[in-house]
Amino acid sequence: MHVPIERLAIDIKEGLCESKVVAKQYGHVEIYWGGNLAEQIEFLAKGVADVILSKENVMQALMAESTHNYRPIIGYQNYTAFFISNKEKPKLNKAYFLDKRIGLLDYPTSRSGHILPKQAFKQLDIDLDALDIVYASTHTSLRDKLAKGEVDIISSYWRKDDQVRFSNNYIVPIGGEIVGSRWFLKMNDENIDLACELQSVISALARSQSSSYFKSLQQYWQCEKSPYHFLGEQV
């Protein structure tokens, strides 16, 4: 399995290792993590990972679905990226950002926390070396830094519970709708048991997250319990 960040690798490992279906089919679990797009491309191009969290456009570009039979199991909803401030509405001009402490994510494959804000700075003709950028490992960490005043502005998506600490009057969109990531399973056979088990494990992990975004999932498999009921041996 390959995922973009260490925290996610740690969180999902427990559910996978406790799964009887995974134990029966694999015996053990290996999880690799890294936000480097080149690493993700290598995993996909060679079909190294049985399960991978990726974007549909990356899958299409590498033809991984047709080459290695990767099929979507479960996916996150589409979203919009925003610059978020705690004290004022951000302004999309060069002068505004030059004296701000800016919070971004430290993994380069995040569109809302890394790619889109840096694209915005480039469009505004801002040299990244001229900016005071503070990196964080998660979107939650970014929000904590903003709430504590450690940064003046962050780049992220807007969550329903953000209204508790921040104001939606102090956000500015920096990109159109972003297609959410999806979990893909390499399926050479119609391995329904594994597909449904992965969908169940990932759904349970999502429900345990504090962010409402991760709880809004699109499931691609109709998984139901068997309609057959087996009786024990009768004496």
Side-chain angles (χ1 to χ4, degrees), residues 37-96:
L37 182 58
E39 178 183 301
Q40 186 180 130
I41 289 175
E42 183 176 357
F43 268 80
L44 284 172
K46 297 180 180 180
V48 176
D50 292 292
V51 182
I52 190 166
L53 178 61
S54 185
K55 298 282 188 179
E56 179 65 32
N57 63 327
V58 177
M59 281 285 177
Q60 292 176 350
L62 296 174
M63 296 186 291
E65 290 168 289
S66 58
T67 303
H68 298 296
N69 297 312
Y70 281 107
R71 298 176 66 179
I73 299 299
I74 196 167
Y76 302 110
Q77 64 182 334
N78 296 351
Y79 59 99
T80 300
F82 295 93
F83 281 127
I84 304 172
S85 176
N86 197 20
K87 297 180 180 179
E88 61 182 354
K89 191 177 185 70
K91 300 175 183 178
L92 295 180
N93 62 60
K94 184 175 182 178
Y96 177 80

Side-chain angles (χ1 to χ4, degrees), residues 194-217:
L194 183 58
C196 289
E197 182 68 5
L198 287 171
Q199 189 169 265
S200 177
V201 170
I202 295 168
S203 295
L205 174 61
R207 289 193 296 270
S208 70
Q209 303 298 306
S210 59
S211 171
S212 58
Y213 169 76
F214 293 105
K215 298 176 184 178
S216 301
L217 297 172

Side-chain angles (χ1 to χ4, degrees), residues 82-91 96 146 153 158-159 162-173:
F82 295 93
F83 281 127
I84 304 172
S85 176
N86 197 20
K87 297 180 180 179
E88 61 182 354
K89 191 177 185 70
K91 300 175 183 178
Y96 177 80
L146 182 62
I153 187 171
W158 184 253
R159 308 189 316 201
D162 281 336
Q163 190 65 44
V164 176
R165 290 197 289 180
F166 312 115
S167 170
N168 57 13
N169 288 321
Y170 296 159
I171 65 176
V172 171

Side-chain angles (χ1 to χ4, degrees), residues 103 134-136 140-151 154:
V134 178
Y135 288 100
T140 298
S141 296
L142 282 179
R143 283 162 170 76
D144 290 341
K145 289 181 180 297
L146 182 62
K148 294 176 182 177
E150 296 177 7
V151 295
I154 64 172

